[in-house]
Amino acid sequence: MQTSFKENLRKFLDYKDLTVKELAFASGVPKRSIENYLNARASMPPADYACKIAKALGTSVEFLVNGESVENQCFSKEAIQIAKIYQNLPKKDKDVVERIAQALSN
């Protein structure tokens, strides 16, 4: 099921623990514009703003627009599941996982 830009933007703001003001600063997109993308009418941003927002959030425009990322289309379900688990780990545990993965790949 596809999700809307508004829903995906809200998910990313929550996940990254960012405020609209912080995203506006990081992306260069006016705060009021971002608020409009999140409000009840939820307008779709122009392509240049969508690109700036995606870059500031560390995701793809494809994900923000429809909830699907290019990466998800390229990786196996197992790889995606591992990535999801990794994302929820604390920083110190991520460092351990990275060292283990590096050692196994050598």
Side-chain angles (χ1 to χ4, degrees):
M1 179 176 93
Q2 279 191 334
T3 52
S4 69
F5 185 90
K6 170 186 168 178
E7 293 168 319
N8 296 324
L9 179 56
R10 174 54 54 204
K11 282 181 199 174
F12 251 92
L13 285 173
D14 293 345
Y15 176 73
K16 298 276 188 170
D17 196 25
L18 287 173
T19 64
V20 171
K21 185 177 179 179
E22 291 168 329
L23 178 59
F25 180 78
S27 66
V29 174
K31 179 179 178 266
R32 187 70 188 128
S33 295
I34 296 170
E35 289 170 343
N36 287 337
Y37 308 142
L38 292 167
N39 74 19
R41 293 192 333 222
S43 62
M44 181 69 79
D48 60 333
Y49 278 11
C51 289
K52 288 178 180 182
I53 291 169
K55 184 175 182 180
L57 291 173
T59 191
S60 66
V61 173
E62 291 85 359
F63 180 82
L64 288 177
V65 170
N66 62 24
E68 297 176 11
S69 68
V70 174
E71 294 85 10
N72 286 353
Q73 298 169 16
C74 298
F75 293 108
S76 68
K77 287 181 182 179
E78 293 84 4
I80 293 168
Q81 181 61 31
I82 290 168
K84 287 179 182 177
I85 293 167
Y86 174 84
Q87 285 178 328
N88 293 321
L89 294 174
K91 171 85 170 101
K92 66 181 179 83
D93 291 343
K94 286 180 179 179
D95 293 340
V96 170
V97 170
E98 288 171 16
R99 286 195 301 271
I100 291 170
Q102 189 67 24
L104 291 172
S105 68
N106 292 333

XYZ file of all heavy atoms in Angstrom:
834
model
N 0.823 -1.175 0.000
C 0.000 0.000 0.000
C 0.878 1.252 0.000
O 1.766 1.380 0.825
C -0.891 -0.005 1.243
C -1.772 1.212 1.338
S -2.899 1.128 2.735
C -1.932 1.975 3.953
N 0.627 2.139 -0.933
C 1.392 3.367 -1.008
C 0.973 4.321 0.100
O -0.180 4.368 0.500
C 1.189 4.051 -2.352
C 2.027 3.473 -3.455
C 1.962 4.372 -4.680
O 1.021 5.091 -4.897
N 2.999 4.301 -5.489
N 1.954 5.081 0.560
C 1.671 6.101 1.547
C 1.910 7.466 0.912
O 2.574 7.576 -0.108
C 2.567 5.918 2.781
O 3.924 5.825 2.364
C 2.189 4.668 3.560
N 1.381 8.484 1.527
C 1.477 9.822 0.960
C 2.768 10.521 1.363
O 3.441 10.122 2.320
C 0.289 10.661 1.427
O 0.409 10.931 2.816
N 3.091 11.576 0.636
C 4.257 12.399 0.973
C 4.139 12.874 2.417
O 5.107 12.801 3.180
C 4.354 13.586 0.009
C 5.597 14.402 0.213
C 6.752 14.106 -0.482
C 5.612 15.455 1.100
C 7.918 14.839 -0.291
C 6.770 16.208 1.303
C 7.918 15.895 0.607
N 2.963 13.336 2.782
C 2.725 13.832 4.140
C 3.061 12.759 5.180
O 3.778 13.020 6.149
C 1.259 14.250 4.263
C 0.794 14.565 5.660
C -0.703 14.811 5.660
C -1.248 14.851 7.055
N -2.679 15.130 7.079
N 2.553 11.547 4.986
C 2.792 10.450 5.932
C 4.271 10.082 5.995
O 4.823 9.868 7.077
C 1.983 9.213 5.528
C 0.488 9.387 5.652
C -0.279 8.264 4.986
O 0.109 7.821 3.888
O -1.279 7.841 5.579
N 4.914 10.011 4.826
C 6.315 9.622 4.793
C 7.214 10.704 5.388
O 8.185 10.398 6.081
C 6.734 9.298 3.363
C 5.984 8.093 2.841
O 5.703 7.157 3.578
N 5.618 8.119 1.575
N 6.885 11.957 5.134
C 7.650 13.061 5.713
C 7.509 13.045 7.232
O 8.500 13.176 7.954
C 7.174 14.395 5.136
C 7.863 15.654 5.664
C 9.373 15.589 5.469
C 7.292 16.883 4.964
N 6.293 12.845 7.708
C 6.073 12.786 9.160
C 6.850 11.622 9.781
O 7.479 11.759 10.833
C 4.569 12.656 9.453
C 4.193 12.449 10.911
C 4.717 13.453 11.912
N 4.410 14.812 11.601
C 5.133 15.856 12.040
N 6.179 15.663 12.806
N 4.811 17.081 11.726
N 6.847 10.453 9.125
C 7.595 9.294 9.625
C 9.073 9.632 9.770
O 9.706 9.299 10.768
C 7.457 8.103 8.672
C 6.174 7.350 8.749
C 6.214 6.196 7.756
C 4.857 5.667 7.439
N 4.882 4.639 6.383
N 9.629 10.266 8.735
C 11.055 10.588 8.773
C 11.382 11.642 9.817
O 12.409 11.543 10.491
C 11.569 11.012 7.394
C 12.450 9.976 6.788
C 11.924 9.008 5.972
C 13.808 9.953 7.050
C 12.723 8.031 5.423
C 14.621 8.976 6.516
C 14.080 8.019 5.693
N 10.531 12.641 9.967
C 10.770 13.645 11.010
C 10.765 12.983 12.387
O 11.632 13.266 13.222
C 9.714 14.747 10.949
C 9.858 15.743 9.816
C 8.652 16.674 9.768
C 11.136 16.550 9.949
N 9.811 12.091 12.613
C 9.743 11.378 13.892
C 10.952 10.470 14.075
O 11.555 10.442 15.150
C 8.450 10.567 13.995
C 7.205 11.442 14.084
O 7.337 12.657 14.356
O 6.097 10.917 13.846
N 11.298 9.726 13.024
C 12.417 8.791 13.107
C 13.731 9.521 13.390
O 14.533 9.086 14.206
C 12.532 7.998 11.802
C 13.726 7.086 11.773
C 13.758 5.916 12.525
C 14.838 7.385 10.994
C 14.860 5.078 12.512
C 15.941 6.559 10.973
C 15.947 5.404 11.737
O 17.038 4.597 11.731
N 13.932 10.648 12.725
C 15.171 11.417 12.897
C 15.091 12.361 14.095
O 16.059 13.044 14.409
C 15.460 12.242 11.637
C 15.685 11.421 10.390
C 17.099 10.971 10.301
C 17.370 10.325 8.950
N 18.751 10.081 8.725
N 13.928 12.401 14.753
C 13.697 13.278 15.892
C 14.021 14.731 15.535
O 14.748 15.416 16.237
C 14.514 12.818 17.110
C 14.025 13.440 18.401
O 12.843 13.815 18.467
O 14.834 13.581 19.339
N 13.474 15.164 14.392
C 13.685 16.523 13.907
C 12.401 17.325 13.996
O 11.309 16.788 13.818
C 14.111 16.506 12.430
C 15.504 16.039 12.086
C 15.664 15.945 10.573
C 16.545 16.978 12.656
N 12.557 18.616 14.237
C 11.414 19.512 14.176
C 11.309 20.063 12.758
O 12.254 19.960 11.966
C 11.583 20.688 15.151
O 12.704 21.469 14.731
C 11.774 20.200 16.581
N 10.185 20.655 12.450
C 10.003 21.286 11.144
C 11.032 22.402 10.972
O 11.626 22.555 9.904
C 8.563 21.822 10.994
C 8.415 22.667 9.753
C 7.577 20.655 10.971
N 11.268 23.145 12.029
C 12.256 24.236 11.986
C 13.653 23.701 11.665
O 14.378 24.279 10.855
C 12.259 24.976 13.322
C 13.157 26.184 13.358
C 13.048 26.904 14.696
C 13.971 28.104 14.743
N 13.863 28.817 16.034
N 14.029 22.590 12.281
C 15.348 21.995 12.022
C 15.456 21.503 10.583
O 16.492 21.679 9.936
C 15.611 20.846 12.999
C 15.821 21.306 14.422
C 15.793 20.173 15.432
O 15.076 19.164 15.214
O 16.483 20.308 16.460
N 14.378 20.891 10.085
C 14.388 20.430 8.697
C 14.476 21.610 7.739
O 15.194 21.545 6.741
C 13.161 19.578 8.393
C 13.037 19.082 6.950
C 14.251 18.244 6.542
C 11.751 18.309 6.757
N 13.755 22.672 8.045
C 13.802 23.865 7.198
C 15.222 24.401 7.124
O 15.728 24.729 6.038
C 12.849 24.931 7.735
N 15.888 24.460 8.250
C 17.271 24.948 8.281
C 18.197 24.028 7.493
O 19.010 24.479 6.694
C 17.754 25.088 9.732
C 19.163 25.576 9.833
C 19.470 26.917 9.663
C 20.199 24.691 10.092
C 20.771 27.371 9.748
C 21.508 25.127 10.176
C 21.795 26.483 10.006
N 18.061 22.719 7.715
C 18.943 21.745 7.059
C 18.718 21.671 5.551
O 19.657 21.423 4.795
C 18.746 20.363 7.680
N 17.481 21.878 5.125
C 17.151 21.705 3.702
C 17.153 23.003 2.907
O 17.268 22.985 1.682
C 15.769 21.056 3.565
O 14.751 21.935 4.041
N 16.988 24.117 3.591
C 16.860 25.382 2.884
C 15.456 25.626 2.349
O 15.218 26.577 1.625
N 14.528 24.760 2.718
C 13.120 24.911 2.316
C 12.423 25.715 3.421
O 12.596 25.413 4.603
C 12.449 23.527 2.138
C 10.966 23.665 1.880
C 13.128 22.758 1.019
N 11.643 26.723 3.061
C 10.975 27.524 4.090
C 10.131 26.684 5.052
O 9.457 25.725 4.642
C 10.080 28.477 3.286
C 10.735 28.555 1.940
C 11.337 27.201 1.702
N 10.189 27.053 6.324
C 9.443 26.341 7.363
C 7.955 26.276 7.023
O 7.317 25.238 7.177
C 9.658 27.041 8.701
C 8.934 26.419 9.867
C 9.249 27.195 11.155
C 8.503 26.638 12.322
N 7.239 27.325 12.565
N 7.407 27.372 6.554
C 5.979 27.427 6.223
C 5.633 26.421 5.120
O 4.576 25.788 5.153
C 5.589 28.841 5.794
C 4.118 29.006 5.597
C 3.396 28.961 6.950
N 1.962 28.936 6.703
C 1.137 28.043 7.214
N 1.582 27.117 8.022
N -0.130 28.077 6.940
N 6.524 26.253 4.150
C 6.283 25.280 3.079
C 6.223 23.868 3.647
O 5.323 23.088 3.308
C 7.375 25.369 2.016
O 7.329 26.605 1.360
N 7.178 23.547 4.516
C 7.193 22.209 5.117
C 5.932 21.991 5.941
O 5.319 20.913 5.888
C 8.472 21.991 5.948
C 9.706 22.032 5.029
C 8.412 20.665 6.715
C 11.028 22.061 5.744
N 5.512 23.004 6.678
C 4.265 22.888 7.445
C 3.084 22.621 6.520
O 2.200 21.825 6.860
C 4.033 24.171 8.247
C 4.996 24.325 9.401
C 4.942 25.699 10.048
O 4.412 26.649 9.436
O 5.448 25.798 11.181
N 3.088 23.248 5.350
C 2.008 23.007 4.378
C 2.004 21.562 3.890
O 0.941 20.990 3.637
C 2.120 23.952 3.187
C 1.727 25.362 3.523
O 0.988 25.598 4.469
N 2.240 26.310 2.764
N 3.183 20.961 3.730
C 3.256 19.572 3.271
C 2.747 18.610 4.346
O 2.371 17.481 4.047
C 4.678 19.191 2.867
C 5.306 20.152 1.891
C 6.650 20.474 1.979
C 4.564 20.766 0.893
C 7.227 21.368 1.090
C 5.137 21.670 0.013
C 6.470 21.962 0.123
O 7.043 22.857 -0.749
N 2.751 19.061 5.600
C 2.327 18.218 6.719
C 0.902 18.486 7.191
O 0.373 17.729 7.987
C 3.283 18.426 7.906
C 4.695 17.905 7.718
C 5.606 18.443 8.806
C 4.727 16.393 7.685
N 0.280 19.548 6.718
C -1.038 19.912 7.236
C -2.154 19.060 6.611
O -1.892 18.185 5.779
C -1.312 21.411 7.091
C -1.599 21.846 5.670
O -1.945 21.053 4.795
N -1.458 23.137 5.422
N -3.367 19.343 7.005
C -4.521 18.539 6.577
C -4.678 18.479 5.057
O -5.047 17.444 4.508
C -5.797 19.078 7.207
N -4.380 19.576 4.359
C -4.521 19.567 2.899
C -3.304 18.942 2.229
O -3.389 18.505 1.090
C -4.745 20.983 2.387
C -6.068 21.513 2.856
C -6.501 22.769 2.170
N -5.448 23.610 1.660
C -5.417 24.908 1.739
N -6.372 25.545 2.347
N -4.435 25.611 1.221
N -2.199 18.927 2.903
C -0.980 18.232 2.481
C -0.655 18.394 0.994
O -0.786 17.472 0.208
C -1.055 16.757 2.839
N -0.185 19.558 0.630
C 0.216 19.774 -0.758
C 1.511 19.026 -1.064
O 2.282 18.700 -0.165
C 0.394 21.273 -1.029
O 1.424 21.800 -0.212
N 1.732 18.762 -2.329
C 2.947 18.082 -2.781
C 3.971 19.162 -3.141
O 3.636 20.103 -3.839
C 2.634 17.218 -4.009
C 3.824 16.457 -4.542
S 4.394 15.146 -3.470
C 3.203 13.894 -3.835
N 5.209 19.004 -2.683
C 6.213 20.031 -2.985
C 6.667 19.960 -4.442
O 6.575 18.902 -5.081
C 7.368 19.684 -2.052
C 7.252 18.217 -1.853
C 5.758 17.936 -1.873
N 7.203 21.080 -4.941
C 7.820 21.022 -6.265
C 9.071 20.143 -6.197
O 9.612 19.897 -5.112
C 8.164 22.477 -6.570
C 8.154 23.179 -5.260
C 7.248 22.400 -4.345
N 9.531 19.685 -7.329
C 10.652 18.732 -7.387
C 11.896 19.253 -6.682
O 12.570 18.495 -5.975
C 10.970 18.387 -8.836
N 12.225 20.540 -6.850
C 13.442 21.050 -6.216
C 13.345 21.008 -4.693
O 14.304 20.635 -4.017
C 13.796 22.453 -6.717
C 12.732 23.492 -6.444
O 11.536 23.139 -6.344
O 13.094 24.683 -6.342
N 12.173 21.311 -4.140
C 11.998 21.229 -2.690
C 11.995 19.775 -2.222
O 12.565 19.454 -1.187
C 10.701 21.913 -2.263
C 10.800 23.416 -2.116
C 11.908 24.129 -2.556
C 9.772 24.125 -1.536
C 11.976 25.505 -2.432
C 9.834 25.513 -1.397
C 10.940 26.188 -1.845
O 11.002 27.554 -1.697
N 11.368 18.899 -2.977
C 11.349 17.481 -2.606
C 12.773 16.926 -2.556
O 13.119 16.176 -1.642
C 10.496 16.682 -3.583
N 13.603 17.320 -3.514
C 15.005 16.869 -3.534
C 15.767 17.397 -2.326
O 16.531 16.664 -1.696
C 15.694 17.316 -4.815
S 15.143 16.437 -6.281
N 15.563 18.659 -1.994
C 16.259 19.257 -0.842
C 15.831 18.593 0.463
O 16.660 18.313 1.332
C 15.973 20.759 -0.777
C 16.658 21.559 -1.849
C 16.277 23.033 -1.745
C 16.967 23.856 -2.819
N 16.642 25.296 -2.677
N 14.547 18.333 0.592
C 14.031 17.687 1.807
C 14.568 16.265 1.913
O 15.035 15.839 2.977
C 12.491 17.713 1.823
C 11.990 19.149 2.017
C 11.936 16.778 2.900
C 10.501 19.327 1.789
N 14.517 15.521 0.818
C 15.022 14.137 0.831
C 16.495 14.101 1.201
O 16.921 13.284 2.015
C 14.790 13.482 -0.527
N 17.271 14.992 0.624
C 18.710 15.027 0.921
C 18.952 15.337 2.388
O 19.776 14.693 3.043
C 19.408 16.060 0.034
C 20.899 16.086 0.222
C 21.580 17.020 -0.759
C 23.092 16.959 -0.547
N 23.803 17.837 -1.450
N 18.231 16.315 2.932
C 18.397 16.679 4.337
C 18.009 15.531 5.274
O 18.579 15.386 6.355
C 17.568 17.915 4.656
N 17.054 14.708 4.847
C 16.604 13.579 5.670
C 17.416 12.309 5.425
O 17.250 11.322 6.129
C 15.126 13.292 5.409
C 14.153 14.355 5.901
C 12.736 14.037 5.433
C 14.199 14.475 7.424
N 18.256 12.315 4.402
C 19.049 11.126 4.098
C 18.231 10.016 3.476
O 18.461 8.840 3.742
N 17.266 10.381 2.655
C 16.435 9.387 1.982
C 16.275 9.777 0.521
O 16.908 10.711 0.054
C 15.054 9.251 2.684
O 14.385 8.104 2.154
C 14.214 10.488 2.540
N 15.447 9.054 -0.183
C 15.218 9.337 -1.595
C 13.884 10.048 -1.784
O 12.973 9.918 -0.964
C 15.209 8.039 -2.406
O 14.091 7.249 -2.043
N 13.773 10.785 -2.866
C 12.506 11.420 -3.218
C 11.458 10.337 -3.437
O 10.305 10.491 -3.031
C 12.659 12.307 -4.477
C 11.313 12.840 -4.936
C 13.628 13.447 -4.216
N 11.845 9.231 -4.055
C 10.906 8.127 -4.300
C 10.259 7.665 -2.994
O 9.069 7.402 -2.951
C 11.601 6.938 -4.972
C 12.039 7.189 -6.382
C 13.413 7.862 -6.487
O 14.046 8.161 -5.460
O 13.842 8.107 -7.626
N 11.079 7.557 -1.946
C 10.510 7.126 -0.676
C 9.536 8.156 -0.134
O 8.443 7.817 0.328
C 11.576 6.838 0.377
C 10.956 6.406 1.669
C 10.569 5.098 1.854
C 10.685 7.323 2.665
C 9.925 4.701 3.026
C 10.045 6.941 3.834
C 9.675 5.626 4.008
N 9.906 9.431 -0.186
C 9.016 10.467 0.338
C 7.711 10.545 -0.442
O 6.652 10.779 0.124
C 9.706 11.829 0.339
C 10.802 12.007 1.381
C 11.461 13.367 1.224
C 10.268 11.840 2.798
N 7.781 10.336 -1.748
C 6.588 10.467 -2.579
C 5.641 9.283 -2.419
O 4.442 9.447 -2.283
C 6.971 10.669 -4.064
C 5.757 10.573 -4.969
C 7.666 12.014 -4.249
N 6.182 8.064 -2.424
C 5.271 6.910 -2.406
C 5.618 5.820 -1.401
O 5.001 4.766 -1.406
C 5.135 6.310 -3.808
C 6.428 5.776 -4.352
O 7.331 5.442 -3.599
N 6.541 5.706 -5.663
N 6.597 6.060 -0.565
C 6.929 5.079 0.467
C 7.825 3.963 -0.013
O 8.176 3.082 0.742
N 8.216 3.990 -1.266
C 9.097 2.968 -1.812
C 10.432 3.603 -2.148
O 10.489 4.663 -2.735
C 8.502 2.367 -3.085
C 7.204 1.653 -2.850
C 6.577 1.151 -4.136
O 7.240 1.168 -5.179
O 5.413 0.757 -4.085
N 11.478 2.939 -1.763
C 12.790 3.474 -2.093
C 13.437 2.636 -3.187
O 13.142 1.460 -3.350
C 13.691 3.498 -0.859
O 14.021 2.196 -0.451
N 14.309 3.262 -3.908
C 15.064 2.563 -4.949
C 15.852 1.429 -4.320
O 15.936 0.335 -4.863
C 15.997 3.544 -5.681
C 16.896 2.814 -6.651
C 15.197 4.616 -6.387
N 16.404 1.671 -3.131
C 17.204 0.652 -2.454
C 16.371 -0.598 -2.194
O 16.837 -1.710 -2.370
C 17.739 1.195 -1.122
C 18.721 2.316 -1.280
C 18.061 3.692 -1.432
O 16.835 3.825 -1.233
O 18.782 4.629 -1.785
N 15.115 -0.426 -1.773
C 14.265 -1.571 -1.482
C 13.994 -2.408 -2.726
O 13.675 -3.577 -2.632
C 12.944 -1.121 -0.861
C 13.104 -0.676 0.563
O 14.166 -0.815 1.154
N 12.055 -0.116 1.117
N 14.092 -1.823 -3.890
C 13.879 -2.555 -5.123
C 15.138 -3.311 -5.551
O 15.070 -4.164 -6.415
C 13.441 -1.595 -6.221
C 12.121 -0.919 -5.904
C 11.798 0.213 -6.848
O 12.382 0.333 -7.918
N 10.878 1.052 -6.453
N 16.285 -2.983 -4.955
C 17.559 -3.586 -5.357
C 18.037 -4.656 -4.389
O 18.879 -5.469 -4.753
C 18.635 -2.506 -5.462
S 18.288 -1.261 -6.697
N 17.553 -4.663 -3.162
C 18.045 -5.584 -2.154
C 17.024 -6.665 -1.862
O 15.818 -6.465 -2.005
C 18.385 -4.838 -0.855
C 19.556 -3.912 -0.993
C 19.370 -2.543 -1.004
C 20.838 -4.407 -1.120
C 20.441 -1.684 -1.133
C 21.913 -3.552 -1.255
C 21.721 -2.186 -1.261
N 17.536 -7.798 -1.402
C 16.654 -8.905 -1.029
C 15.864 -8.546 0.226
O 16.227 -7.627 0.971
C 17.485 -10.157 -0.750
O 18.260 -9.966 0.431
N 14.813 -9.302 0.479
C 14.013 -9.075 1.690
C 14.865 -9.267 2.939
O 14.697 -8.555 3.926
C 12.817 -10.028 1.711
C 11.749 -9.671 0.722
C 10.573 -10.619 0.799
C 9.545 -10.253 -0.261
N 8.399 -11.148 -0.255
N 15.783 -10.220 2.899
C 16.656 -10.486 4.046
C 17.560 -9.291 4.320
O 17.751 -8.888 5.470
C 17.507 -11.744 3.818
C 16.711 -13.020 3.760
C 16.123 -13.316 2.366
O 16.393 -12.562 1.403
O 15.379 -14.291 2.256
N 18.127 -8.713 3.255
C 19.016 -7.552 3.419
C 18.244 -6.358 3.974
O 18.750 -5.628 4.827
C 19.669 -7.193 2.089
N 17.032 -6.182 3.511
C 16.204 -5.078 4.011
C 15.876 -5.288 5.483
O 15.939 -4.359 6.286
C 14.923 -4.935 3.167
C 15.292 -4.489 1.747
C 13.950 -3.959 3.809
C 14.167 -4.595 0.751
N 15.561 -6.519 5.861
C 15.255 -6.825 7.260
C 16.469 -6.553 8.142
O 16.342 -5.962 9.216
C 14.800 -8.286 7.410
C 14.436 -8.670 8.829
C 13.287 -7.858 9.388
O 12.405 -7.424 8.670
N 13.300 -7.618 10.682
N 17.657 -6.946 7.693
C 18.878 -6.685 8.461
C 19.101 -5.186 8.603
O 19.461 -4.700 9.679
C 20.092 -7.373 7.796
C 19.968 -8.893 7.963
C 21.402 -6.869 8.384
C 20.938 -9.693 7.117
N 18.861 -4.446 7.537
C 19.022 -2.989 7.584
C 18.059 -2.363 8.577
O 18.418 -1.443 9.320
C 18.843 -2.390 6.194
N 16.834 -2.846 8.615
C 15.845 -2.312 9.565
C 16.272 -2.581 11.003
O 16.148 -1.715 11.870
C 14.471 -2.914 9.289
C 13.811 -2.373 8.048
C 12.465 -3.028 7.810
C 11.831 -2.508 6.527
N 10.556 -3.180 6.241
N 16.770 -3.775 11.253
C 17.251 -4.114 12.595
C 18.423 -3.206 12.961
O 18.478 -2.630 14.043
C 17.652 -5.602 12.679
C 16.420 -6.493 12.544
C 18.397 -5.898 13.976
C 16.731 -7.963 12.302
N 19.348 -3.049 12.019
C 20.534 -2.210 12.236
C 20.135 -0.774 12.572
O 20.702 -0.158 13.475
C 21.429 -2.253 10.993
C 22.607 -1.328 11.048
C 23.776 -1.712 11.695
C 22.555 -0.071 10.457
C 24.859 -0.863 11.751
C 23.638 0.791 10.510
C 24.791 0.392 11.153
O 25.863 1.243 11.218
N 19.163 -0.227 11.867
C 18.737 1.158 12.093
C 18.256 1.390 13.515
O 18.398 2.489 14.040
C 17.611 1.548 11.136
C 18.084 1.789 9.735
C 16.925 2.130 8.805
O 15.814 1.665 8.989
N 17.200 2.938 7.806
N 17.711 0.379 14.141
C 17.163 0.538 15.489
C 18.178 0.286 16.598
O 17.839 0.415 17.768
C 15.955 -0.383 15.667
C 14.796 0.048 14.790
O 14.543 1.233 14.630
N 14.111 -0.913 14.209
N 19.411 -0.064 16.231
C 20.436 -0.319 17.236
C 21.031 0.979 17.768
O 21.114 1.970 17.038
C 21.572 -1.154 16.630
C 21.255 -2.579 16.204
C 22.453 -3.188 15.488
C 20.873 -3.418 17.402
N 21.486 0.958 19.017
C 22.229 2.113 19.529
C 23.569 2.240 18.796
O 24.080 1.258 18.236
C 22.460 1.796 21.002
C 21.762 0.517 21.289
C 21.288 -0.077 20.017
N 24.148 3.419 18.820
C 25.396 3.713 18.085
C 26.497 2.704 18.417
O 27.167 2.208 17.524
C 25.854 5.137 18.411
C 27.228 5.490 17.901
C 27.188 5.966 16.475
C 28.516 6.543 16.047
N 29.317 5.674 15.252
N 26.701 2.408 19.697
C 27.792 1.495 20.070
C 27.593 0.104 19.469
O 28.542 -0.541 19.043
C 27.972 1.427 21.584
C 26.820 0.824 22.345
C 27.084 0.834 23.854
C 25.943 0.266 24.605
N 25.896 -1.162 24.704
N 26.340 -0.357 19.390
C 26.059 -1.661 18.803
C 26.235 -1.627 17.281
O 26.680 -2.602 16.678
C 24.658 -2.137 19.165
C 24.531 -2.475 20.646
O 25.570 -2.659 21.315
O 23.386 -2.543 21.144
N 25.888 -0.496 16.668
C 26.107 -0.349 15.223
C 27.592 -0.470 14.902
O 27.967 -1.095 13.909
C 25.568 0.989 14.724
C 24.076 1.056 14.638
C 23.617 2.410 14.134
C 22.108 2.470 14.035
N 21.624 3.776 13.583
N 28.439 0.131 15.753
C 29.886 0.045 15.544
C 30.362 -1.404 15.599
O 31.184 -1.822 14.783
C 30.634 0.881 16.593
C 30.399 2.377 16.446
O 29.980 2.825 15.350
O 30.641 3.104 17.435
N 29.817 -2.170 16.528
C 30.190 -3.586 16.662
C 29.751 -4.355 15.414
O 30.524 -5.132 14.841
C 29.573 -4.203 17.939
C 29.764 -5.714 17.953
C 30.167 -3.562 19.179
N 28.534 -4.130 14.976
C 28.011 -4.818 13.788
C 28.866 -4.476 12.570
O 29.197 -5.359 11.772
C 26.528 -4.455 13.540
C 26.054 -4.954 12.188
C 25.657 -5.013 14.660
N 29.247 -3.219 12.429
C 30.074 -2.812 11.293
C 31.433 -3.501 11.327
O 31.940 -3.962 10.287
C 30.245 -1.298 11.281
C 28.980 -0.569 10.893
C 29.073 0.942 11.083
O 30.197 1.472 11.220
O 28.002 1.580 11.066
N 32.032 -3.598 12.520
C 33.338 -4.279 12.621
C 33.216 -5.770 12.297
O 34.063 -6.342 11.605
C 33.930 -4.085 14.006
C 34.473 -2.670 14.247
C 35.369 -2.584 15.475
N 34.708 -2.970 16.711
C 34.039 -2.133 17.503
N 33.929 -0.888 17.209
N 33.477 -2.592 18.615
N 32.152 -6.399 12.740
C 31.935 -7.818 12.439
C 31.731 -8.004 10.947
O 32.339 -8.906 10.330
C 30.734 -8.374 13.237
C 31.060 -8.441 14.725
C 30.318 -9.742 12.704
C 29.876 -8.741 15.620
N 30.898 -7.170 10.345
C 30.637 -7.285 8.906
C 31.911 -7.060 8.107
O 32.190 -7.773 7.134
C 29.566 -6.279 8.482
N 32.718 -6.089 8.522
C 33.991 -5.811 7.837
C 34.921 -7.013 7.952
O 35.551 -7.424 6.979
C 34.640 -4.561 8.444
C 35.834 -4.062 7.685
C 35.465 -3.535 6.303
O 34.336 -3.134 6.051
N 36.401 -3.559 5.400
N 34.995 -7.597 9.133
C 35.866 -8.766 9.337
C 35.397 -9.957 8.505
O 36.219 -10.666 7.906
C 35.896 -9.148 10.820
N 34.088 -10.158 8.414
C 33.567 -11.271 7.635
C 33.757 -11.078 6.146
O 33.878 -12.051 5.389
C 32.067 -11.476 7.942
C 31.747 -12.000 9.325
C 30.245 -11.964 9.577
C 32.279 -13.422 9.514
N 33.775 -9.824 5.693
C 33.910 -9.580 4.262
C 35.360 -9.691 3.773
O 35.597 -9.772 2.572
C 33.356 -8.209 3.899
O 34.163 -7.185 4.442
N 36.305 -9.704 4.687
C 37.732 -9.821 4.300
C 38.170 -11.232 4.111
O 37.778 -12.187 4.394
C 38.630 -9.120 5.329
C 38.437 -7.631 5.296
O 38.076 -7.058 4.293
N 38.665 -7.006 6.425
